[in-house]
Amino acid sequence: MRREELQRQLGISCPSPEQLIKPDWENSQDYQISVKRDDLIHPLISGNKWRKLKYALTNLVESGIKEVISFGGGYSNHLHALAFACSKLNIQLMAIVRGDYSKSLTPMLNDLRDWGVKTTFVDRKTYAKRNNPDYLAGLNKSHPKAAIIPEGGSQQLAISGVAELILELQDSYDFILTPVGSGGTLAGLITAENDAKLIGIAALKGEGYLEQLVSELLPSDCSNSNWKINHDFHFGGYAKRTEALVDFCEHNRQQLKIEIEPVYSGKLFYAAKSLIAKRAFPCGSRILLIHTGGLQGNRAHNITAP
Ligand SMILES: *Cc1c(COP(=O)(O)O)cnc(C)c1O
């Protein structure tokens, strides 16, 4: 199946818009600030998850694979996007979920149930083995026909899908900012070898660890070292938030008419606002923020893991 056909079948709308914004942030008048609206790619197949899954899904369809195993937390945008795509493509998804939510499904897990996903809840210790070769070999043995897609969809196959985002850009930029979770998105952008400096905004506590994840995903012939990860805006960790962050998301929703949420895009925009306020970029810089989508994860306001 050709990719264009797959996009049509799933209702994907690419290229996504590139939008100049005029925020009311301190010093923002001295910069050109744009947003790549990957949140508009699809209402359910969240922005960067589509880019990361596109080649994996094309391969599954082309090779006639009908079972997929993947991993995520109880609010995972990756599992949500993958589950919806699989339901449309008649592929059985088996989701391995960190934590036992069986007594109170999150909105995300409710959707998975409605889309026919088989969900297995595992404790943290088991979940920690998600990339362990022996554990994966065991899964392969019990599900010989299934393809395994890693957490977040971050795998080598994801890289070229993400790199296409850069090829879509109409304008040139000095800085491109993107949130970082499992590193696949940043790695993909790095391989596109654009002139812009890439700045990942860590959405979780992971200094050193996140840089390593990104480096491991880069192809060995990648020569772009014009990137770094900023660790100042994780707000205490993954899905951790403060009232100030939540208020900031709400304020931007009203002022910019762009929906952002506190797990990824909120931290990205907050970082941009703070860095611009302290003039961390040279005056006149052209700055692009990658809105990676993920608004479904915000349906439960008090995110807790069992
Ligand atoms: C998964 C996700 C990210 C993180 O992307 P990685 O490739 O895992 O670093 C960022 N934003 C949103 C909305 C996501 O769902």
Side-chain angles (χ1 to χ4, degrees):
M1 178 194 270
R2 306 233 326 276
R3 260 185 303 124
E4 293 72 30
E5 248 173 86
L6 183 70
Q7 294 204 180
R8 214 172 17 251
Q9 192 175 345
L10 295 173
I12 298 291
S13 138
C14 259
S16 65
E18 195 174 330
Q19 180 186 344
L20 193 65
I21 59 167
K22 297 272 174 225
D24 57 0
W25 309 337
E26 186 184 351
N27 296 335
S28 61
Q29 71 283 352
D30 296 337
Y31 299 90
Q32 179 198 308
I33 310 167
S34 300
V35 180
K36 178 69 170 160
R37 299 290 308 273
D38 269 15
D39 55 314
L40 301 178
I41 285 181
H42 191 278
L44 294 166
I45 307 179
S46 175
N48 70 338
K49 299 306 184 285
W50 162 249
R51 297 204 187 266
K52 294 205 282 181
L53 287 169
K54 140 182 196 187
Y55 288 99
L57 289 171
T58 310
N59 283 2
L60 292 177
V61 172
E62 279 180 347
S63 50
I65 293 175
K66 288 284 169 207
E67 285 175 38
V68 173
I69 300 175
S70 197
F71 308 87
Y75 298 84
S76 168
N77 291 326
H78 160 69
L79 285 180
H80 197 251
L82 181 60
F84 179 76
C86 284
S87 74
K88 286 277 168 214
L89 301 170
N90 290 316
I91 295 170
Q92 174 69 59
L93 173 63
M94 286 168 277
I96 298 182
V97 172
R98 178 184 59 224
D100 185 0
Y101 292 88
S102 54
K103 296 218 169 52
S104 59
L105 295 183
T106 64
M108 192 287 284
L109 290 166
N110 261 319
D111 285 345
L112 259 56
R113 189 192 50 197
D114 293 347
W115 297 333
V117 175
K118 288 185 192 156
T119 299
T120 307
F121 298 111
V122 298
D123 59 22
R124 279 163 188 281
K125 233 170 110 187
T126 309
Y127 193 82
K129 294 194 276 194
R130 64 194 178 279
N131 295 320
N132 175 310
D134 291 337
Y135 174 71
L136 295 175
L139 280 180
N140 251 327
K141 214 166 166 189
S142 49
H143 305 277
K145 292 190 192 139
I148 299 179
I149 297 182
E151 178 186 67
S154 288
Q155 55 182 342
Q156 222 75 52
L157 211 48
I159 298 300
S160 39
V162 175
E164 286 167 9
L165 182 157
I166 298 285
L167 305 178
E168 285 176 12
L169 295 179
Q170 307 283 319
D171 233 323
S172 338
Y173 297 95
D174 303 301
F175 297 93
I176 298 180
L177 276 62
T178 188
V180 180
S182 60
T185 302
L186 180 56
L189 297 174
I190 292 169
T191 60
E193 311 258 354
N194 184 269
D195 287 337
K197 170 149 196 141
L198 286 161
I199 302 176
I201 304 298
L204 50 110
K205 263 195 212 165
E207 204 160 348
Y209 164 74
L210 289 176
E211 281 82 356
Q212 190 189 334
L213 284 185
V214 172
S215 304
E216 283 169 5
L217 285 164
L218 294 175
S220 53
D221 63 352
C222 174
S223 59
N224 185 3
S225 55
N226 196 14
W227 63 275
K228 68 167 187 185
I229 299 179
N230 179 308
H231 296 275
D232 297 337
F233 301 98
H234 56 60
F235 288 82
Y238 182 70
K240 294 268 167 44
R241 59 187 64 189
T242 63
E243 211 168 307
L245 177 60
V246 174
D247 290 350
F248 173 77
C249 291
E250 175 59 22
H251 175 79
N252 280 277
R253 189 174 69 79
Q254 290 178 11
Q255 200 250 324
L256 298 171
K257 310 278 181 266
I258 297 177
E259 196 89 37
I260 54 175
E261 47 68 52
V263 182
Y264 292 109
S265 51
K267 290 179 181 176
L268 171 76
F269 277 60
Y270 196 99
K273 177 190 100 131
S274 308
L275 293 171
I276 285 168
K278 64 174 195 188
R279 296 198 182 279
F281 309 106
C283 202
S285 295
R286 298 157 300 173
I287 302 167
L288 179 70
L289 311 179
I290 312 281
H291 192 324
T292 43
L295 299 164
Q296 73 81 24
N298 200 33
R299 288 177 295 175
H301 280 286
N302 295 309
I303 290 195
T304 48

